[in-house]
Amino acid sequence: MEMSLPFSRPWPAGKTAVAELKDRPESSFPLARRYADKMIAHAREEAPNECCGILAGPANEGRVEKLYHGINAEKSPVRYNIDPQQLLSIHEETEAKGWAILGIYHSHTHTEAFPSATDVRLAFWPDSTYLIISLKEQGEPVIRAFSIRDGRIEEKQVVIGE
Amino acid sequence: MAVEVRLPMILQKVAGGAKTVKVEGKSIHEVFDNLEKNHHGFASRLFDNEGNLNHFIMVYVNNEDIRLQRGMQTELKDGDVITLLPAMAGGEDCCR
Ligand SMILES: [Zn+2]
C-alpha cells in the first residue's frame, strides 16, 4: 500500500529553471488589497513554515472571488504541498461554481519572492499564476506573480486594487 | 465495466483534449494500463522510472485518495469516478 507522503523520497530530476524575465512584465495579475493582506497575514501566521493557498474566481473574468487557506501537508519551512484531500475539495468547489484556479500562492520566509528550481519543477498547473510572498525583509513583505510553463518562468505584474 | 476518469489540464493533451475519458478496469492498475493503451503517453506521466506512481499525481476514487486505500490495487465498481490532480507543491532547492 502506497502511504508515503510526496516528499519522503528523492525529488524527480528535472529541467533547471530558466528565468526569462523582462524589465517590465507584459501581463498582469489583478489582486484586491484584502486578498494581498490575507496572504501576507497567512504567511506570517505559518512562519517559520511555508504557507500555501489558492485564489479562485470566475474563469472568464480573471477576478479573484475567494481565497482558500491551504493546509501545508508538509508543515515545513522548506516545502509546501497542499493537503491532497483539501486540494480535491477546493477543486470540486471551484468546478461546481464555474470558477478557475487563478492563483496558487506560497511563502518564502527567508528568501526572495522568486520561484526556486524546485518550485519550477513542481509547477504542474500551467494555467494558474504562481504567487510568492517573501518575508525576507521583515517589515516589508513582497508579493510577486509568475506563470510557470514547461520550465519557463515569466513574471506578471501584481496590480493591487480595491 | 467502465469508469470515468477526470483529467487535469496537463493530462488532457495526452487524451486529445478530452476532459474526461471512459476506461475499462476493475482496479486502478487496470484502468491505468488501459489508459496507456488507449492514449499512449499516460504511463510516462503517471509513473516514475521504477514504475511507481508519481508522487506528484493525486488519484482519487469517488473523492477518496487511493493512497489512503489500497493504492494501485484499489478496486473499482462500474460507474466509479476517478479524479487525477497534480500536486500543488514546491520548496527550496537546498534540501532535496
Ligand atoms: Zn517556493
Side-chain angles (χ1 to χ4, degrees), chain B residues 45-65:
Chain B
R45 288 166 175 82
L46 294 175
F47 300 103
D48 64 20
N49 293 336
E50 290 145 31
N52 297 312
L53 182 61
N54 185 325
H55 277 263
F56 301 100
I57 297 280
M58 306 297 138
V59 183
Y60 311 87
V61 176
N62 304 329
N63 296 350
E64 294 294 328
D65 189 343

Side-chain angles (χ1 to χ4, degrees), chain A residues 1-4 7 9 12 78-82 84-85 88 110 116-119 121-122 124-127, chain B residues 6 9-10 48 50 52 55-56 58 60 63 65 67 69 83 85-93 95-96:
Chain A
M1 188 160 107
E2 193 75 79
M3 280 292 287
S4 52
F7 300 114
R9 7 164 60 234
V78 293
R79 294 274 182 267
Y80 80 93
N81 182 26
I82 296 186
Q85 208 60 49
L88 179 70
H110 56 275
S116 67
T118 304
D119 287 338
R121 195 161 56 244
L122 299 180
F124 301 121
W125 295 77
D127 291 336
Chain B
R6 296 184 181 168
M9 201 72 73
I10 54 162
D48 64 20
E50 290 145 31
N52 297 312
H55 277 263
F56 301 100
M58 306 297 138
Y60 311 87
N63 296 350
D65 189 343
R67 290 180 170 95
Q69 303 177 64
T83 306
L85 287 180
M88 279 184 189
E92 283 183 25
D93 304 322
C95 320
R96 247 179 267 171

Side-chain angles (χ1 to χ4, degrees), chain A residues 26-37:
Chain A
E26 279 166 18
S27 51
S28 59
F29 188 88
L31 186 65
R33 176 161 305 281
R34 63 184 183 282
Y35 296 120
D37 289 346

